[in-house]
Amino acid sequence: MNWQSKANIFIIIRGFIILLFTCLISTIKINLCFSNTLPLLLHNHNNHDHDHLKTLEFDGHLSFDDVDHASKDFGNRFQYLPSAVLYPKSVSDIATLVKHVWEMGMTTELSVAARGHGHSLQGQSQAHKGVVINMESLSENKNSVMYIHSDGEFSYVDVYGGELWINILHETLKFGLTPKSWTDYLHLTVGGTLSNAGISGQAFRHGPQISNVLQLQVITGKGEVVNCSKEENSDLFHSVLGGLGQFGIITRARISLEPAPSMVKWIRVLYSDFETFTREQESLITQDQNNSFDYIEGFVIINRTGLLNNWRSSFNPHDPSQASQFNSDGKTLFCLELVKYFNKDNIDMVNQEVEKMLSKLKYIKSTLFISDVSYVDFLDRVHVSEVKLRSKGLWEVPHPWLNLLIPKTKIQTFAHQVFGNILTHTSNGPVLIYPVNKSKWDNRTSVVIPEEEEEEEIFYLVAFLSSAVPSSRGRDGLEHILKQNKRILEFCEKSNLGVKQYLPHYTTQQQWRAHFGPQKWHKFTQRKSTYDPLAIFAPGQRIFQKGKSLIQFS
């Protein structure tokens, strides 16, 4: 090759390099231009939303500054800052906001989340760059009074959706009445628990809280205020119950009541054999109402010594000498927790009934502990623990809870692997386990329970209520507990146990589809397109995304 040919090749290569660098520089400039412009566009978009919101008139007020608290919840793991928080003083305040967002349509990215007492675990009550409604503000209005009706046979209470259950308890007791079904913790709002289910040890008899609702007032995703019940607008009524906040905001609820006891006989006994423990739990919840307990739960105790001594501050051992000699030897034990309601004038009869029922159970005889406490003290028992934990700075920590609903036919398989191999201690928090009757759950609601055989009447709640030490990298640290939860879920899926999550949390559409199952998912998406077609509500559940057609999810 002569020098002229080499020179030509050199010129071509140099030109190619110059062209390449020119393209790179142009690309960088374009990217820089977009990277500088995009936040500006988003900022202008948010300002646009703010300006529109500021034009609205409320009986209460809308805050753009006092929003930090609405970006946190009990789970203490997720934090999404909203654009604003509404403090409503009337139902119309909420309707005005929702209707405004609905009418803006796709020109706004605003979403709306109803926040009660902020006890969600995975940011479900949060709304990133949206509007959070402080539902408790509605109940704090001086004009918000509960209406209690009783004609001797039929009793109910009308309450706002942001009312705490503990307040309802105190008010209804003034009339000698009480709601039938509870959660273990009463400092939760009506709308919050009814959007999930509301489960405790009374559920075997009365069903969850959603089975004891007579009527609702709901604001739909179009800003409409609708009254609904089993007879009136029944599809909306059943959609909202257990609906995870997807179909409407519960602003009022009519709750069924019954005569209230004044006292409870609170009992704890231990088992070392899981099969005996579950068999007797199942027997107790299927007995005639007059010959059974009023509350039945249980919990798992793994590798904990000195447990009975811890009980002595609240319970009296039936036989102190035997109880003092009991040694768990590091075994996994199962506690059956029972309650019988009574009034002071019939204590002798109740004592005889309880003794007769206990005589049929095969618990470890030296572990019988009994305590007589007031009805209120029993129902509000978790709050006592809360006060103690708050004083030690141990309440506002991460709570990576895992709640599962498990078919009766699979509970032995589950227990063998989870309590035998995956869990090695329970120092992070209680592990609850108790059966409920399927017939007490209405399959027309949105809540998802295990799909068992038709003749199968019982399924179990198993709740791992862990608290994580923020700075710990050990067994009580967040990372370890999350890995443990993952192992439990992976085992359930691999073993095809048919387990369903209660207070569910998923991150993909595929997972939500699997959770609901084909038929229930189809119905769920149909209801969403009917009552909240723009997917305005409860973005923190991560089921639907605003701005995307619901057709793709059906």
Side-chain angles (χ1 to χ4, degrees):
M1 183 181 295
N2 58 36
W3 69 269
Q4 185 64 45
S5 299
K6 289 181 180 180
N8 290 338
I9 292 173
F10 176 77
I11 291 170
I12 292 171
I13 293 173
R14 186 179 66 175
F16 176 76
I17 292 172
I18 291 171
L19 179 63
L20 178 62
F21 271 99
T22 301
C23 291
L24 285 173
I25 290 170
S26 299
T27 303
I28 291 170
K29 286 182 178 179
I30 291 170
N31 286 337
L32 285 172
C33 179
F34 272 103
S35 66
N36 288 330
T37 304
L38 188 57
L40 184 61
L41 290 173
L42 292 174
H43 178 71
N44 289 337
H45 192 76
N46 289 335
N47 282 342
H48 173 75
D49 291 338
H50 284 195
D51 291 341
H52 276 75
L53 289 173
K54 289 176 180 177
T55 64
L56 302 179
E57 294 185 2
F58 299 107
D59 297 323
H61 71 281
L62 189 69
S63 174
F64 295 94
D65 301 317
D66 182 19
V67 299
D68 286 351
H69 72 284
S71 67
K72 304 171 186 175
D73 60 18
F74 178 72
N76 211 8
R77 293 177 50 214
F78 296 88
Q79 188 168 340
Y80 298 105
L81 201 66
S83 293
V85 176
L86 175 65
Y87 296 85
K89 282 190 176 180
S90 63
V91 171
S92 63
D93 279 354
I94 302 173
T96 296
L97 171 69
V98 176
K99 187 175 182 180
H100 172 76
V101 177
W102 159 254
E103 289 177 345
M104 289 185 75
M106 302 311 296
T107 66
T108 176
E109 294 181 353
L110 284 177
S111 57
V112 177
R115 174 188 170 88
H117 207 52
H119 207 76
S120 59
L121 299 169
Q122 314 270 4
Q124 290 95 331
S125 62
Q126 299 174 28
H128 181 53
K129 296 182 180 180
V131 182
V132 171
I133 302 173
N134 187 320
M135 296 300 293
E136 287 185 280
S137 178
L138 186 64
S139 299
E140 291 166 0
N141 179 12
K142 63 181 180 180
N143 295 320
S144 67
V145 294
M146 299 182 199
Y147 173 75
I148 298 173
H149 168 86
S150 178
D151 58 12
E153 294 183 4
F154 182 62
S155 304
Y156 62 80
V157 58
D158 286 338
V159 297
Y160 278 109
E163 193 62 76
L164 295 179
W165 284 100
I166 184 64
N167 296 336
I168 298 171
L169 173 63
H170 288 308
E171 286 299 315
T172 56
L173 285 177
K174 294 176 183 177
F175 297 81
L177 299 169
T178 177
K180 301 172 183 178
S181 189
W182 297 98
T183 53
D184 287 329
Y185 180 62
L186 304 191
H187 295 252
L188 305 172
T189 59
V190 170
T193 64
L194 297 186
S195 294
N196 289 283
I199 313 176
S200 185
Q202 304 88 358
F204 78 93
R205 174 169 294 174
H206 298 294
Q209 289 181 318
I210 59 173
S211 295
N212 296 276
V213 181
L214 303 174
Q215 185 176 309
L216 294 172
Q217 182 188 71
V218 175
I219 296 177
T220 70
K222 299 177 183 179
E224 302 164 329
V225 182
V226 183
N227 291 322
C228 54
S229 64
K230 289 182 180 179
E231 295 77 29
E232 180 187 12
N233 298 311
S234 61
D235 185 64
L236 177 61
F237 178 76
H238 292 113
S239 298
V240 170
L241 295 173
L244 305 176
Q246 293 299 306
F247 310 110
I249 296 174
I250 298 172
T251 49
R252 289 190 73 86
R254 178 167 291 176
I255 309 297
S256 180
L257 302 176
E258 66 177 357
S262 60
M263 300 289 292
V264 307
K265 195 165 285 292
W266 190 2
I267 302 160
R268 285 179 177 174
V269 294
L270 293 179
Y271 292 76
S272 58
D273 180 68
F274 184 75
E275 188 172 349
T276 304
F277 167 71
T278 52
R279 183 172 63 249
E280 298 203 331
Q281 274 191 324
E282 292 165 12
S283 174
L284 287 169
I285 72 167
T286 55
Q287 290 177 3
D288 178 70
Q289 180 171 335
N290 296 322
N291 298 311
S292 185
F293 293 94
D294 298 293
Y295 162 102
I296 297 171
E297 284 195 12
F299 54 91
V300 185
I301 305 153
I302 301 175
N303 195 23
R304 286 181 62 184
T305 58
L307 177 73
L308 299 191
N309 287 329
N310 294 338
W311 289 359
R312 290 176 187 270
S313 61
S314 305
F315 292 83
N316 300 311
H318 183 69
D319 189 327
S321 61
Q322 284 191 13
S324 63
Q325 296 174 15
F326 175 78
N327 191 329
S328 67
D329 295 324
K331 295 178 182 177
T332 297
L333 299 172
F334 308 95
C335 176
L336 177 60
E337 190 166 42
L338 308 164
V339 161
K340 185 68 176 177
Y341 298 158
F342 69 96
N343 294 308
K344 291 180 180 179
D345 57 356
N346 67 341
I347 186 170
D348 292 335
M349 182 181 69
V350 168
N351 282 337
Q352 292 175 10
E353 290 177 358
V354 168
E355 186 176 351
K356 182 179 179 181
M357 290 186 288
L358 288 175
S359 68
K360 299 177 182 179
L361 303 179
K362 298 178 181 179
Y363 58 88
I364 302 170
K365 298 305 177 184
S366 61
T367 65
L368 172 58
F369 279 66
I370 302 178
S371 179
D372 290 354
V373 300
S374 73
Y375 182 62
V376 173
D377 286 346
F378 170 70
L379 289 180
D380 202 27
R381 62 198 179 280
V382 176
H383 184 59
V384 176
S385 299
E386 176 189 353
V387 172
K388 292 178 181 178
L389 290 170
R390 281 190 183 278
S391 67
K392 299 176 182 178
L394 298 176
W395 182 257
E396 295 182 356
V397 298
H399 295 97
W401 287 8
L402 177 63
N403 297 270
L404 304 175
L405 303 176
I406 303 173
K408 169 190 169 182
T409 53
K410 303 298 174 59
I411 194 65
Q412 300 294 329
T413 302
F414 176 88
H416 177 74
Q417 176 65 15
V418 175
F419 303 144
N421 296 312
I422 296 177
L423 288 183
T424 57
H425 59 90
T426 53
S427 59
N428 300 333
V431 178
L432 305 183
I433 177 169
Y434 55 92
V436 292
N437 288 320
K438 183 180 179 182
S439 62
K440 303 295 183 180
W441 295 63
D442 192 330
N443 62 11
R444 291 172 295 180
T445 68
S446 295
V447 73
V448 176
I449 62 175
E451 298 174 358
E452 304 177 84
E453 299 296 329
E454 287 297 323
E455 65 272 11
E456 189 61 77
E457 167 60 12
I458 292 170
F459 62 91
Y460 277 80
L461 169 75
V462 181
F464 302 89
L465 309 182
S466 302
S467 298
V469 178
S471 59
S472 175
R473 295 185 177 274
R475 295 186 307 180
D476 55 359
L478 178 61
E479 185 177 351
H480 175 83
I481 298 171
L482 289 175
K483 285 182 179 179
Q484 190 169 261
N485 289 348
K486 185 179 179 182
R487 286 184 63 194
I488 293 170
L489 290 172
E490 287 176 346
F491 165 72
C492 293
E493 185 175 357
K494 183 179 179 181
S495 302
N496 196 27
L497 299 187
V499 169
K500 296 296 183 181
Q501 283 192 41
Y502 176 61
L503 309 178
H505 168 69
Y506 300 102
T507 56
T508 68
Q509 282 290 322
Q510 184 179 3
Q511 291 171 327
W512 279 112
R513 285 172 183 266
H515 170 74
F516 283 100
Q519 290 185 339
K520 197 115 185 177
W521 174 249
H522 179 67
K523 192 168 189 177
F524 197 81
T525 54
Q526 277 189 326
R527 285 172 164 177
K528 185 69 171 178
S529 64
T530 300
Y531 302 118
D532 183 24
L534 291 184
I536 290 170
F537 288 141
Q541 293 284 3
R542 305 174 186 86
I543 304 176
F544 303 102
Q545 185 177 342
K546 191 177 182 198
K548 291 195 174 183
S549 171
L550 294 178
I551 296 174
Q552 65 181 295
F553 298 132
S554 61

